[in-house]
């Protein structure tokens, strides 16, 4: 894992939620502003999770502008 990304567990700790809740949210596209769940099988059986540190921290701190929220990260 590089410095621009965080693990699911680290992100879950920052967000004060369980890692499983975060995984499900990423799979359903609820947290697209800072991360993605990539379906590795095409069948929804196995996922890779990519969570970017800077957008995650910006999300947690509430530092988004209205224009940024409407854009893909």
């Amino acid at each position: 894992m590089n410095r621009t990304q965080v693990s699911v567990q680290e992100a879950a700790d920052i967000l004060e939620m369980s890692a499983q809740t975060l995984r499900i949210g990423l799979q359903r596209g609820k947290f697209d502003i800072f991360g993605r769940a990539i379906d590795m099988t095409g069948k929804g059986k196995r996922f890779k999770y990519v969570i970017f540190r800077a957008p995650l921290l910006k999300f947690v701190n509430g530092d988004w502008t209205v224009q940024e929220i409407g854009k893909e990260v």
Side-chain angles (χ1 to χ4, degrees), residues 43-61:
K43 299 176 182 177
K45 299 287 184 185
R46 186 171 177 202
F47 293 88
K48 177 180 178 178
Y49 301 94
V50 180
I51 303 169
F52 295 99
R53 181 181 308 277
L56 171 65
L57 296 177
K58 200 169 184 179
F59 175 80
V60 169
N61 293 329

Side-chain angles (χ1 to χ4, degrees), residues 13-55:
D13 291 345
I14 291 168
L15 293 166
E16 299 180 353
M17 65 174 58
S18 73
Q20 187 62 21
T21 299
L22 178 56
R23 284 187 196 97
I24 292 169
L26 289 166
Q27 289 171 19
R28 295 181 179 172
K30 301 295 184 186
F31 301 116
D32 281 354
I33 201 160
F34 59 78
R36 301 278 193 279
I38 301 164
D39 187 349
M40 301 301 286
T41 64
K43 299 176 182 177
K45 299 287 184 185
R46 186 171 177 202
F47 293 88
K48 177 180 178 178
Y49 301 94
V50 180
I51 303 169
F52 295 99
R53 181 181 308 277

